[in-house]
Structures are given as C-alpha cells and as structure tokens.
Amino acid sequence: DSGVTQTPKHLITATGQRVTLRCSPRSGDLSVYWYQQSLDQGLQFLIQYYNGEERAKGNILERFSAQQFPDLHSELNLSSLELGDSALYFCASSVSGTTDTQYFGPGTRLTVL
Amino acid sequence: QKEVEQDPGPLSVPEGAIVSLNCTYSNSAFQYFMWYRQYSRKGPELLMYTYSSGNKEDGRFTAQVDKSSKYISLFIRDSQPSDSATYLCAMVYNNNDMRFGAGTRLTVKP
C-alpha cells in the first residue's frame, strides 16, 4: 500500500459526459501527478501540482483539467468524454516538486461507452 | 523515434534465472532513471532510481546506467514467481518532466 488513495476504483460513463477523479496524496507529500495508462499509449504524464500550484504539464488534452486543493487532495476533471479516453488514470505523489520518488495510487479505471 | 524504447516482451523465464530488462533513450538531457514494477490491476511501484552512470544494487535487483550509450538495465537475480509483473523504465529531465517506457511483461515460471 503506497499511501496514495484514489476514488472511485471504477467508473463507467457515456460519450459526451463529464467525470471527476479524486486523489489523496501520502501524508506529508506536497506534489500530486496525474497519469493516463492505456494499452496503445502506455503510461503518459498528464499534469503535476505542487502545493496547490500547477508545476508541469504533459500530454493533457484541453478537455481535461485538474486542481489541487488547500488540503492537498487533487481532482482530475474529464469532460466531453470520447471512447478513446477509456483508460486507467493514476495519481502519484511525492514530497517535493521533483519526480525522483513518486508513489502511485491504485488507479481509477474509466470506461467510456 | 520514441524518446524511450523498451521491448514489451513478453519475457518468460524459469524460477532462479537471472533476468535482464533494458531501455534505450534518445534524449541526453535525462537526469534521473527509474524502474517501476506494476502488478496486474495495480499502480506502478518504484523499485529503484539512480542519477549517475554505473551500478546500483538493492537486494536481488541491480540497476545499471550507461549514459554514454543511452542505455539502462535492470537485472533480477534468483528470480521468483512473485517477480512476475510488468517492469517500466522511467526517465526525468528538467526535474519534473517524466517519460516512461512501454513496459516489459515478465513471467517467472515455478
């Protein structure tokens, strides 16, 4: 158990809908990262927040957005969902803003029908 | 050409074998190198990280980095069935830009 929690575990929704994924980092960690893992694209970095501020952006679509709240939990919002958005979404956390020691959560499996 | 290349396997070995997993990369700006293990339906788990050329050992695992050849390896000695998982290499530059390999699926047969 990494200490990172993610909810929900599974999410099934329809195209065009909007969903919110939630992540709570390990106690003491200030950075939260979001990743998408699909069979054809592998693990892709989406975005990083550090202590409430956006720190780095990866391959995140404009339909996706994230935020980190004062209690350091983070939410990833996915809108206008498409079939291709079906994937595992992982959250990871680390103490600092660098990425050498990230700890991953169990993931949320999103299925878009 | 992808920034990080990793043979997806699958790789199947008998219990007790030495396993060699490899990644090559094209971006010489990568600063940190990591190996993650991912069991089916679980999140990746950090196994080892290093930032310099050479070897780093932790129990049955040895991570090797050759920056001149842009090549990293993970060796697993005395492999166990519990080592069966997907192994992902990862690399970082600019302190927070991370790239992953595709992952190699390993099966260790009893």
Side-chain angles (χ1 to χ4, degrees):
Chain A
D1 184 359
S2 66
V4 178
T5 60
Q6 288 186 249
T7 57
K9 283 187 179 178
H10 303 278
L11 200 49
I12 301 174
T13 188
T15 55
Q17 294 299 304
R18 173 190 170 93
V19 297
T20 297
L21 313 183
R22 183 188 169 103
C23 167
S24 293
R26 295 185 322 155
S27 176
D29 285 359
L30 299 179
S31 258
V32 168
Y33 309 80
W34 286 97
Y35 294 87
Q36 180 192 60
Q37 187 174 41
S38 59
L39 281 174
D40 56 341
Q41 294 288 325
L43 196 60
Q44 302 270 325
F45 166 64
L46 295 178
I47 197 164
Q48 177 201 359
Y49 278 82
Y50 175 73
N51 204 20
E53 300 288 327
E54 184 183 304
R55 174 65 67 96
K57 236 177 192 179
N59 299 319
I60 189 166
L61 299 172
E62 285 191 11
R63 299 183 285 111
F64 296 179
S65 65
Q67 54 184 327
Q68 187 179 28
F69 294 88
D71 67 353
L72 300 176
H73 90 270
S74 178
E75 292 181 355
L76 179 67
N77 300 297
L78 314 175
S79 61
S80 302
L81 285 169
E82 302 174 0
L83 295 177
D85 297 327
S86 296
L88 267 171
Y89 290 85
F90 287 106
C91 164
S93 73
S94 69
V95 172
S96 68
T98 60
T99 58
D100 54 334
T101 51
Q102 287 184 38
Y103 297 88
F104 281 74
T108 293
R109 182 174 291 278
L110 173 66
T111 302
V112 182
L113 301 176
Chain B
Q1 182 189 11
K2 288 184 180 179
E3 280 187 290
V4 181
E5 299 276 3
Q6 182 177 10
D7 186 343
L11 182 61
S12 181
V13 301
E15 183 175 355
I18 296 175
V19 176
S20 172
L21 304 167
N22 310 295
C23 286
T24 59
Y25 62 95
S26 57
N27 189 345
S28 58
F30 284 126
Q31 301 161 297
Y32 300 97
F33 305 88
M34 285 154 281
W35 285 97
Y36 284 85
R37 177 175 62 196
Q38 186 175 20
Y39 291 113
S40 180
R41 299 185 180 277
K42 299 286 187 183
E45 169 195 9
L46 179 65
L47 274 180
M48 299 189 72
Y49 77 90
T50 184
Y51 54 86
S52 59
S53 283
N55 294 351
K56 182 176 181 179
E57 195 173 311
D58 184 2
R60 296 185 296 110
F61 298 90
T62 299
Q64 185 177 79
V65 174
D66 182 345
K67 287 188 175 182
S68 62
S69 302
K70 298 191 180 67
Y71 187 90
I72 69 170
S73 299
L74 178 71
F75 298 98
I76 308 174
R77 289 184 300 280
D78 188 24
S79 56
Q80 303 295 308
S82 59
D83 295 328
S84 298
T86 296
Y87 290 80
L88 299 134
C89 63
M91 307 181 187
V92 177
Y93 66 100
N94 293 334
N95 277 333
N96 53 22
D97 206 338
M98 198 165 188
R99 298 286 184 268
F100 285 85
T104 299
R105 183 178 292 182
L106 170 68
T107 301
V108 181
K109 295 185 175 180

